[in-house]
Amino acid sequence: MKTTIAQIGQHVGETVTIGAWLANKRSSGKIAFLQLRDGTGFIQGVVVKAEVSEEVFSLAKEMTQESSLYVSGTVREDDRAPSGYELTVTSLELISEAKDYPITPKEHGTEFLMDHRHLWLRSRRQHAIMRVRNEIIRATYEFFHKEGFVKVDPPILTGSSAEGTTNLFHTKYFEENAYLSQSGQLYMEAAAMALGKVFSFGPTFRAEKSKTRRHLIEFWMIEPEMAFMDHNESLEVQENYVSYVVQSVLENCKLELKALERDVSRLEKVQAPFPRITYDEAVAFLKEEGHEIEWGEDFGAPHETAIAEKYEKPVFITHYPAEIKAFYMKPDPEREEVVLCADLIAPEGYGEIIGGSQRIDDEKLLKQRYEEHNLSDDAYKWYMDLRTYGTVPHSGFGLGLERTVGWICGTEHVRETIPFPRLLNRLYP
Ligand code: 4AD
Ligand code: MG
């Protein structure tokens, strides 16, 4: 019976066949231990010389790392195995021999691994990270579906910028100029006026010359946008969403978190509500701690980390100065110099995972912002229409998938959280 490693628990005592690759191997004169992987998981196959044909035993002993094969054997429960099962091998059929696989069980440098990203993805750690990423995406769709959101897909090729013009990727669109999307937000606002509560999930591009452990050139964002919702209501959606995602990963990725040696006690505490502090309070706190920062300046990674360290859960920093935020954010009616926005800072030094705000709904004020920011009427006319025709209070936010994966998995660098990272000096593979 053909099965997979993930399903093997349903076949205890039976003889099964799995298609697999040889991840690693140990052998002596009488026994060989094969570390097998099939994409769904990892399992140990035990080949006992006295119990198999001579052919099968010598194949087991000689087989090279990453060779592909069909393995048949009897499934046994084994409490010591990470997956809980082991396979007593009865026969082996080689599909293809892999010679000199470059990524051996010894340590390799980061650049070497990045050059071999197409193969590195097969390793246990990378496999676990990709599965957690998948679970976060699955839980995202589930959460927003349950909450009555409609998934809407904004365009990737755009004629205008959402988050400022400094880091746009420029391209030709036949005779016109076009840019790769930095954020789907402006289009999602149009979608919210048509469908109420919407969310998008797609790639976004930023030509940022940043070489940090949190920055990618191409990253994926989840962007909900909600009509008739104010800033505070949006914060509630955000904390419920992030809690849902973290608890889903804890529930459905136990083996993966174990393989990553993640301290899950930190994640178990991630339950709504999350603490909230204002930008003013954050600045005052940082000054007390001896950081050099003045009101009106944006926070850097060390600032975010210092603030996050005070809390066990992610923390919202709200009401930033309008000057350092995007043109579309709604000013606080009680204090015009700050906007109704929040960044959500993850614990353990992972930095900002969400940026969000209530949007300007007043046509006159938005016109004023166009002038202040030199936004052309041609490119942004359609966005103004959303205020002209039945404007309503509305809010939204963007969660960076890779930073969220990095935090939940506990990775050192965001490059491990996406299958094929695009970094400042890397477009290969
Ligand atoms: O704070 P940002 O720039 O917000 C927006 O783009 C809004 N238009 C979103 C919205 O309201 N719909 O980006 C949102 C999130 C950040 O909090 C961060 O998690 C992630 O996107 N992010 C990046 N992740 C990896 N590499 C980069 N270069 C990133 N830039 C932003
Ligand atoms: Mg931001």
Side-chain angles (χ1 to χ4, degrees):
M1 159 119 187
K2 213 166 166 183
T3 188
T4 60
I5 294 170
Q7 299 288 316
I8 218 152
Q10 297 167 20
H11 300 282
V12 176
E14 295 171 27
T15 299
V16 298
T17 299
I18 51 175
W21 291 268
L22 183 68
N24 201 355
K25 176 187 74 176
R26 244 172 350 108
S27 66
S28 69
K30 292 190 176 126
I31 194 161
F33 298 100
L34 310 180
Q35 305 307 325
L36 302 163
R37 59 171 200 89
D38 75 339
T40 73
F42 290 75
I43 197 168
Q44 175 163 272
V46 183
V47 195
V48 181
K49 187 175 182 187
E51 290 172 12
V52 295
S53 72
E54 214 163 284
E55 243 183 324
V56 166
F57 193 71
S58 63
L59 182 58
K61 282 204 76 165
E62 279 150 35
M63 197 160 4
T64 51
Q65 190 190 348
E66 285 306 314
S67 290
S68 49
L69 66 156
Y70 287 112
V71 194
S72 300
T74 317
V75 182
R76 286 193 300 105
E77 263 178 294
D78 185 340
D79 292 343
R80 292 159 307 169
S83 65
Y85 304 97
E86 210 175 59
L87 200 63
T88 304
V89 175
T90 50
S91 76
L92 298 173
E93 183 195 326
L94 188 67
I95 301 171
S96 173
E97 185 185 357
K99 291 201 183 94
D100 304 323
Y101 187 67
I103 306 178
T104 60
K106 67 163 204 198
E107 291 263 320
H108 293 282
T110 302
E111 282 308 297
F112 179 86
L113 290 170
M114 291 296 288
D115 284 340
H116 295 88
R117 182 64 178 166
H118 51 295
L119 302 176
W120 188 24
L121 280 174
R122 302 179 185 193
S123 77
R124 195 174 205 127
R125 209 183 130 74
Q126 301 308 312
H127 175 267
I129 296 170
M130 289 307 123
R131 290 224 159 220
V132 171
R133 181 183 167 106
N134 174 65
E135 175 59 19
I136 294 172
I137 297 167
R138 193 202 63 74
T140 294
Y141 277 74
E142 188 173 82
F143 176 84
F144 287 113
H145 177 71
K146 280 187 185 167
E147 296 288 320
F149 285 64
V150 178
K151 165 100 188 330
V152 171
D153 306 311
I156 305 289
L157 285 166
T158 65
S160 56
S161 99
E163 293 295 313
T165 50
T166 49
N167 56 22
L168 286 173
F169 271 106
H170 181 238
T171 182
K172 281 311 255 187
Y173 192 78
F174 306 106
E175 301 308 313
E176 281 179 74
N177 286 316
Y179 309 95
L180 296 183
S181 176
Q182 295 165 306
S183 158
Q185 180 196 318
L186 307 189
Y187 295 97
M188 295 309 288
E189 287 182 56
M193 300 308 140
L195 294 150
K197 293 197 287 187
V198 292
F199 78 104
S200 66
F201 172 52
T204 45
F205 307 85
R206 301 211 182 159
E208 284 177 296
K209 293 257 156 91
S210 308
K211 206 174 170 183
T212 78
R213 61 191 198 92
R214 298 173 180 178
H215 283 87
L216 288 162
I217 304 300
E218 178 180 306
F219 65 97
W220 286 64
M221 214 180 346
I222 289 122
E223 295 190 273
E225 194 70 35
M226 303 155 288
F228 309 106
M229 280 230 188
D230 68 19
H231 170 63
N232 282 316
E233 292 170 311
S234 174
L235 295 189
E236 280 173 32
V237 175
Q238 293 173 46
E239 62 197 5
N240 288 334
Y241 165 47
V242 170
S243 304
Y244 190 85
V245 161
V246 170
Q247 297 310 315
S248 297
V249 172
L250 283 170
E251 181 64 31
N252 300 321
C253 295
K254 293 196 174 81
L255 283 177
E256 288 78 7
L257 293 169
K258 211 164 161 190
L260 294 165
E261 297 174 352
R262 183 68 167 103
D263 176 2
V264 292
S265 69
R266 297 296 303 259
L267 297 176
E268 280 159 3
K269 296 184 180 125
V270 181
Q271 310 258 15
F274 297 163
R276 289 154 206 212
I277 60 167
T278 63
Y279 171 88
D280 291 9
E281 287 164 343
V283 170
F285 163 75
L286 289 168
K287 282 186 158 172
E288 264 168 45
E289 297 278 298
H291 289 267
E292 277 193 26
I293 182 133
E294 290 306 323
W295 199 95
E297 288 171 11
D298 206 355
F299 299 135
H303 300 131
E304 288 177 354
T305 302
I307 294 161
E309 270 171 7
K310 282 177 52 185
Y311 304 94
E312 293 197 311
K313 300 180 188 185
V315 52
F316 287 113
I317 306 177
T318 67
H319 300 85
Y320 282 70
E323 283 280 308
I324 54 169
K325 287 291 181 188
F327 75 92
Y328 51 70
M329 293 189 183
K330 186 179 173 74
D332 183 345
E334 302 190 343
R335 234 184 113 194
E336 298 279 317
E337 72 277 19
V338 299
V339 282
L340 298 174
C341 74
D343 283 357
L344 183 65
I345 314 298
E348 302 174 70
Y350 285 91
E352 179 200 326
I353 53 170
I354 291 184
S357 65
Q358 186 165 344
R359 323 305 193 185
I360 291 176
D361 49 329
D362 181 70
E363 189 177 15
K364 259 203 213 115
L365 180 60
L366 193 60
K367 275 199 175 125
Q368 190 187 319
R369 288 284 187 271
Y370 276 27
E371 279 160 28
E372 289 162 7
H373 291 258
N374 291 319
L375 303 177
S376 83
D377 279 347
D378 286 354
Y380 291 89
K381 170 151 193 334
W382 68 266
Y383 187 64
M384 187 64 76
D385 279 351
L386 307 179
R387 279 68 184 170
T388 310
Y389 304 112
T391 189
V392 297
H394 64 289
S395 303
F397 61 96
L399 172 130
L401 178 63
E402 288 74 18
R403 289 195 192 167
T404 306
V405 175
W407 161 48
I408 294 177
C409 290
T411 64
E412 275 288 303
H413 195 292
V414 80
R415 67 182 159 236
E416 287 184 72
T417 63
I418 184 164
F420 295 97
R422 296 294 171 241
L423 300 163
L424 198 49
N425 297 312
R426 179 169 295 280
L427 199 54
Y428 177 90

